[in-house]
Amino acid sequence: IMSVLDSSGNGKFKDYLTDLNTKFLSGIRYDFLVNNLGKKLFGSATFVGENVLAENEFFVFSYIPPKKGVEKGINLFHVGGMIPYSDNVFRLLPEVNFFLPFINQGIGIYEMKIKGDINTNPDLAKLTYQKVIEDVHYFSDMAFEHNGKKRMILEGYCGLGMPAIVSFVSDVENMKKKFGVVTVFVAPIDGRRCGRLANFINTTPDTILYGSLLLAELKKEPVPAKQTGMGIDLVTRSTFDKTQLGKFIKGWKQGKYAKAEKIEDLDPIMRMDLAGTYWISPDAAARFPMAVDVNRNINAIFIKGVDKNGKIPIKFKGKELSLTDFKKTDVKVVAFYGEDDPMIDYHSGEI
């Protein structure tokens, strides 16, 4: 066909077919690109001078120093734990990641990070919400000593915002010595006010919502990855994108992927696209499922929420917890939300 078009001089139609062909090739290769190049790129950020301070069966605890040559500021403690599709997103790419803006402004990072994935670390299925909080206490003690007993910022992003809050109010006297500021980013505090996501969880029949948790608990397995991601996919309207046809159409729109064979073939936009797409892919979801107890406590945030007296629907060692305990300290609480976020409505932070 191309040779006939060449001889006929019909250049525009030839260009159209050529473009169509490259988009077709991109579409049928998209799954390969995401699960290979995207997987290699995702969570690949490392930092000059970073140092592993400790680790246990669930977490690796590291210190990332601020950028050399900039004025050093207060250090930040990043709460780790389980979030859908994994906390590797905070190290998305060397050039684009959550920590880079902080270290470039002189803020050192103490990072809690999930250790491995379910394939390399099957013990992750046993992680509990209480263990996350205990490890925040333990690692922040270590960070406080490492930081010369200077107060730090306690930070939690999205699903890790409530663990940051819970870790503070469950041990106020100790935590207020270590932290002068608690900050959360797009965190569902009163999850009932999270619009579409809360509606999905609250309208799911109990037999499905709790039955699957009970079954996973009896089998001593984590919550199936498909269940964890289903609500997020519906809220973000990305369900179709993860079907075979959806993957094809996504590639169909990106003809430049047709010839990409290795990471060096990718431009900056392609790198972000593939790394980000892998993060919310079925393969990533399968590698980073949610432990049953963690999932159960997250559901409580969206089903029960925070009551009018500030009571949190999560207990620590049998103790009831309340946001009003912040008022007993000089600690400042700072929250950041997007004005039009389909996942985490900013009203969920209005307590």
Side-chain angles (χ1 to χ4, degrees):
I1 294 176
M2 294 303 178
S3 61
V4 171
L5 290 173
D6 281 337
S7 62
S8 68
N10 194 343
K12 288 185 178 180
F13 189 57
K14 176 190 174 184
D15 290 342
Y16 168 75
L17 287 183
T18 300
D19 183 57
L20 201 63
N21 182 58
T22 57
K23 289 180 178 179
F24 176 79
L25 291 174
S26 296
I28 61 177
R29 298 179 68 243
Y30 200 67
D31 195 50
F32 162 78
L33 292 167
V34 171
N35 288 330
N36 286 272
L37 301 186
K39 186 174 183 177
K40 291 176 182 176
L41 287 168
F42 175 62
S44 60
T46 58
F47 304 92
V48 175
E50 71 172 286
N51 181 36
V52 174
L53 301 180
E55 61 181 271
N56 59 22
E57 67 270 39
F58 299 117
F59 293 100
V60 176
F61 181 58
S62 303
Y63 176 65
I64 303 171
K67 182 180 179 180
K68 289 185 178 180
V70 299
E71 184 178 353
K72 192 176 185 308
I74 187 172
N75 281 339
L76 179 145
F77 184 97
H78 172 76
V79 173
M82 284 186 166
I83 57 173
Y85 304 112
S86 108
D87 62 355
N88 280 341
V89 67
F90 299 112
R91 289 178 175 251
L92 183 66
L93 289 166
E95 65 273 27
V96 180
N97 59 77
F98 182 68
F99 300 130
L100 200 57
F102 292 104
I103 63 176
N104 283 344
Q105 295 297 318
I107 298 173
I109 307 290
Y110 289 100
E111 178 203 24
M112 273 178 70
K113 184 178 181 299
I114 286 291
K115 184 177 181 179
D117 60 30
I118 198 66
N119 299 320
T120 61
N121 184 12
D123 283 343
L124 289 176
K126 303 174 185 176
L127 184 62
T128 64
Y129 206 93
Q130 179 168 303
K131 178 59 177 172
V132 173
I133 304 308
E134 288 175 346
D135 280 351
V136 172
H137 294 159
Y138 174 74
F139 288 130
S140 62
D141 281 345
M142 189 178 298
F144 187 57
E145 293 296 325
H146 186 270
N147 196 44
K149 295 188 176 181
K150 297 176 183 176
R151 292 172 99 187
M152 302 169 287
I153 301 169
L154 180 64
E155 172 269 319
Y157 191 99
C158 195
L160 301 175
M162 187 55 94
I165 297 292
V166 171
S167 67
F168 189 94
V169 297
S170 62
D171 189 15
V172 175
E173 291 305 312
N174 189 33
M175 294 293 276
K176 71 181 183 181
K177 297 174 184 176
K178 296 180 286 187
F179 299 102
V181 176
V182 175
T183 185
V184 296
F185 293 82
V186 291
I189 305 304
D190 188 346
R192 295 172 300 177
R193 307 180 74 180
C194 280
R196 279 187 253 163
L197 184 55
N199 288 339
F200 172 80
I201 293 174
N202 282 285
T203 56
T204 300
D206 289 349
T207 52
I208 296 176
L209 191 64
Y210 297 112
S212 58
L213 290 179
L214 179 60
L215 181 61
E217 191 169 38
L218 290 173
K219 295 170 68 176
K220 298 182 179 180
E221 295 178 353
V223 179
K226 288 183 179 180
Q227 178 183 323
T228 305
M230 181 171 58
I232 296 174
D233 293 343
L234 288 172
V235 170
T236 57
R237 296 187 172 95
S238 59
T239 303
F240 176 72
D241 291 343
K242 296 182 183 182
T243 64
Q244 290 303 316
L245 181 58
K247 293 172 185 176
F248 173 77
I249 290 177
K250 177 68 175 179
W252 183 270
K253 298 176 181 178
Q254 303 292 332
K256 59 187 176 181
Y257 288 116
K259 296 181 180 179
E261 298 290 345
K262 54 187 184 299
I263 288 176
E264 291 74 20
D265 296 332
L266 306 175
D267 63 31
I269 298 299
M270 294 166 75
R271 286 170 60 88
M272 286 190 290
D273 189 22
L274 287 177
T277 302
Y278 180 77
W279 176 48
I280 57 171
S281 71
D283 186 67
R287 290 175 58 207
F288 300 99
M290 302 287 284
V292 173
D293 185 73
V294 174
N295 195 285
R296 182 181 290 113
N297 279 279
I298 290 175
N299 285 346
I301 296 170
F302 293 94
I303 296 171
K304 297 180 180 179
V306 178
D307 73 12
K308 62 182 181 180
N309 297 315
K311 180 183 173 183
I312 298 172
I314 296 170
K315 294 181 180 180
F316 180 70
K317 296 182 178 180
K319 175 186 175 183
E320 292 190 344
L321 306 172
S322 174
L323 295 176
T324 58
D325 284 347
F326 278 109
K327 295 181 179 181
K328 303 173 184 177
T329 75
D330 64 345
V331 174
K332 306 298 182 184
V333 180
V334 183
F336 297 89
Y337 292 89
E339 185 175 2
D340 187 21
D341 188 332
M343 280 285 292
I344 309 299
D345 192 297
Y346 69 89
H347 291 101
S348 69
E350 295 179 342
I351 307 298

